[in-house]
Amino acid sequence: MQEGGSVKESTTQETLALVPARAMQAGKEPIARERRVRWGWAEASVWTDRMLAALENGVKGGVWFSLIDKVYSRGNLWSAWSEVAANQGAAGVDEITIAHYEREVETNLSRLSEQLKLGKYQPKAIRRSYIPKADGSKRPLGIPTVQDRIVQAAIVHVIEPIFEKQFAAHSYGFRPGRGCRDALRRVQHLLQNGYRYVVDADLKSYFDTIPHEKLMALVQERVADSRVLKLIEAFLEAKIMEGLSEWTPTAGAPQGAVLSPLLSNIYLDPLDHQMAAKGLEMVRYADDFVILCRDSQEAEAALQAVQAWTAQAGLTLHPHKTRIADATTDAFEFLGYCFRQGRRWPRHKSMVKLRDAIRAKTRRNNGKSLPVIIADINRTTRGWFGYFKHSYKTTFPAIDGWIRGRLRSILRRRHGRRGKGRGSDHQRWPNAMFARLGYFSLKEAHVRACQSMKVAH
């Protein structure tokens, strides 16, 4: 050490010796409180003040060791169980439901903690199911057992802050304090500021094609606890059961598994940072992303960069769904919205899905009372509006009119008339009548939402 450095160190130590320990502690307390606020979403039983300080200050080599004890700690497992129970969900291959697991939850979690501590825990197979997509196809869904979901949640509690610290700012999916609205707001802001060319990218079957070896290499850049790594690998390689068939996946992170959203973000994080390093405005929500550019040359270069990255990452861009759009003349879709000429509408598939849901509730032979039917409709439209309330204002009156027409058709049938509600039916059963019966008007809700936003700004 240089001579000047020794004098400085000696002086500092002498100064610290004169400061009461209580005063030093008092100085640290505000810092610890601020840190706890920043990481308020992190699992408190795992991420103590000391752990958070290490997270923010950095650990040696940026790699974390000795994490398995945090995974199997009773506090973490109880917290993980609470999340899994709150989310409900179906039983896995062992047919043990949330309710069944809860009957002996204390014994179950105690046994689970011991199995994890001794390294004896083995994930069970994943039950494959399918959910319909808006385009008529089906999306594969993996359903782990309740206990496997608890362990995965416990792992997420431990490793998520480690990776969250490094994630890029323009990634919005499955991240604390971020969501679809933030991503949509960012896209709208860029469009309004002259970014007219859009690279509209679509990763083909992303969750089913993530290469395990490359994914684990990225995890190992931050996590070095071999037992945690083996657990993650075991979940990735868990057998898939579909009916009487069973196989072991060689790639992918099953949608429906608690770990998958975090792992999917870890795998795409290098792409996020590469685009940012090139100065490109990318907005990503899970595997759905767009890159907004000021001119067509920049857009072409951005698309080529994405194509090169996905090829080396073992992923595939959908050849028919990936394109460059001129936002001033072409429409493009992102997160359920259709962007066209600087405005947002629900995309066609989203509208079809809403109309199908309403049709099922408003068949003319529906024997329920009108207030009950309206209450049922409101449950659907309120949820739909919660997401699509940022659509252009002309969206909502048309939907209201169509729904009221369905209700008038029910009333026509009850009065011995045929056909759809029309003409004088609007005077016989006016809009005000449906309002008195509790109908949730999308148009009025949109007006209120716009007024609230004006007040907030």
Side-chain angles (χ1 to χ4, degrees):
M1 182 180 290
Q2 295 179 356
E3 186 173 297
S6 299
V7 172
K8 182 178 180 181
E9 181 179 356
S10 175
T11 303
T12 302
Q13 290 175 346
E14 290 173 6
T15 303
L16 291 174
L18 298 174
V19 180
R22 187 176 297 176
M24 290 176 61
Q25 186 65 30
K28 292 179 181 178
E29 285 175 2
I31 297 174
R33 282 198 298 270
E34 291 170 7
R35 185 184 297 120
R36 177 55 66 187
V37 170
R38 283 193 296 274
W39 296 92
W41 55 269
E43 172 54 39
S45 67
V46 173
W47 289 94
T48 61
D49 290 342
R50 184 178 178 183
M51 286 273 287
L52 289 176
L55 179 66
E56 290 201 341
N57 296 330
V59 294
K60 187 176 181 180
V63 182
W64 290 74
F65 296 82
S66 304
L67 295 173
I68 189 65
D69 60 311
K70 313 295 189 301
V71 174
Y72 65 68
S73 73
R74 295 293 184 87
N76 188 18
L77 290 178
W78 270 103
S79 179
W81 153 250
S82 297
E83 290 180 12
V84 170
N87 290 332
Q88 290 299 309
V93 295
D94 59 1
E95 298 184 351
I96 295 176
T97 63
I98 295 288
H100 186 272
Y101 196 90
E102 190 173 21
R103 290 183 198 132
E104 298 182 23
V105 64
E106 192 163 344
T107 301
N108 289 334
L109 293 180
S110 178
R111 186 187 305 116
L112 176 59
S113 177
E114 192 66 17
Q115 288 176 338
L116 290 166
K117 183 177 182 180
L118 297 175
K120 294 182 178 180
Y121 186 80
Q122 288 294 325
K124 289 184 168 57
I126 294 173
R127 181 167 66 85
R128 173 155 285 192
S129 180
Y130 291 89
I131 55 175
K133 295 174 66 175
D135 61 3
S137 62
K138 293 183 178 181
R139 185 191 307 278
L141 190 68
I143 305 175
T145 64
V146 171
Q147 186 149 275
D148 282 346
R149 299 204 293 269
I150 294 169
V151 177
Q152 289 189 35
I155 293 172
V156 170
H157 288 170
V158 174
I159 70 171
E160 184 175 26
I162 296 171
F163 290 96
E164 178 62 29
K165 185 187 174 188
Q166 73 179 36
F167 283 159
H170 61 248
S171 165
Y172 295 92
F174 308 120
R175 294 186 61 189
R178 291 165 169 254
C180 289
R181 289 168 187 161
D182 302 301
L184 292 165
R185 194 178 296 118
R186 180 61 181 163
V187 170
Q188 192 75 45
H189 173 78
L190 291 168
L191 289 172
Q192 291 170 348
N193 282 272
Y195 289 79
R196 59 178 284 190
Y197 289 91
V198 182
V199 178
D200 185 3
D202 185 278
L203 290 170
K204 189 176 181 180
S205 303
Y206 171 62
F207 280 87
D208 289 333
T209 57
I210 302 173
H212 288 171
E213 187 175 341
K214 291 181 178 181
L215 170 60
M216 289 307 301
L218 289 172
V219 176
Q220 289 168 28
E221 289 180 3
R222 293 288 180 268
V223 175
D225 188 315
S226 61
R227 291 173 65 183
V228 172
L229 293 171
K230 285 179 181 177
L231 265 179
I232 296 173
E233 283 185 299
F235 281 119
L236 288 173
E237 296 170 359
K239 290 183 178 180
I240 306 292
M241 290 188 66
E242 182 178 350
L244 299 177
S245 302
E246 181 179 280
W247 72 92
T248 301
T250 57
Q255 294 188 69
V258 180
L259 258 172
S260 294
L262 176 58
L263 295 178
S264 71
N265 272 336
I266 290 172
Y267 199 67
L268 289 178
D269 187 56
L271 174 63
D272 294 340
H273 287 286
Q274 185 184 112
M275 295 298 104
K278 292 178 179 292
L280 295 169
E281 292 289 354
M282 176 173 169
V283 182
R284 181 173 69 82
Y285 189 97
D287 59 331
D288 195 359
F289 64 90
V290 289
I291 303 172
L292 290 97
C293 306
R294 289 192 181 276
D295 55 57
S296 59
Q297 291 79 13
E298 185 182 41
E300 289 287 353
L303 178 56
Q304 290 176 14
V306 171
Q307 289 170 332
W309 187 89
T310 52
Q312 64 82 30
L315 303 175
T316 304
L317 286 172
H318 199 294
H320 303 302
K321 296 181 180 180
T322 299
R323 66 194 181 100
I324 294 175
D326 181 345
T328 60
T329 57
D330 303 330
F332 69 95
E333 295 180 354
F334 183 58
L335 297 180
Y337 276 90
C338 176
F339 289 81
R340 187 167 60 248
Q341 296 180 340
R343 292 170 177 169
R344 267 188 276 174
W345 285 267
R347 67 174 183 169
H348 177 69
K349 291 177 182 177
S350 302
M351 292 296 295
V352 169
K353 190 173 181 180
L354 173 66
R355 287 176 179 268
D356 286 347
I358 298 299
R359 282 193 185 97
K361 297 173 185 285
T362 57
R363 300 190 190 285
R364 293 179 204 175
N365 60 355
N366 190 322
K368 298 176 182 176
S369 69
L370 202 60
V372 170
I373 295 172
I374 288 173
D376 194 20
I377 292 171
N378 288 348
R379 281 189 285 272
T380 297
T381 53
R382 285 181 187 276
W384 185 89
F385 179 78
Y387 186 78
F388 288 106
K389 63 183 177 184
H390 301 291
S391 300
Y392 190 59
K393 62 183 179 181
T394 58
T395 301
F396 307 104
I399 300 174
D400 277 335
W402 178 76
I403 293 175
R404 291 193 190 101
R406 300 280 302 177
L407 293 172
R408 289 185 179 105
S409 295
I410 293 174
L411 292 172
R412 279 183 66 86
R413 175 158 181 162
R414 292 180 181 181
H415 284 74
R417 294 183 175 92
R418 295 182 180 181
K420 299 178 181 180
R422 60 186 183 274
S424 61
D425 291 340
H426 290 262
Q427 286 74 46
R428 186 178 293 110
W429 301 299
N431 293 351
M433 184 198 78
F434 296 114
R436 288 195 300 272
L437 294 174
Y439 175 72
F440 175 73
S441 168
L442 294 164
K443 176 185 176 181
E444 292 176 9
H446 182 249
V447 170
R448 291 193 297 270
C450 290
Q451 291 172 343
S452 298
M453 285 187 279
K454 287 179 181 178
V455 171
H457 287 85

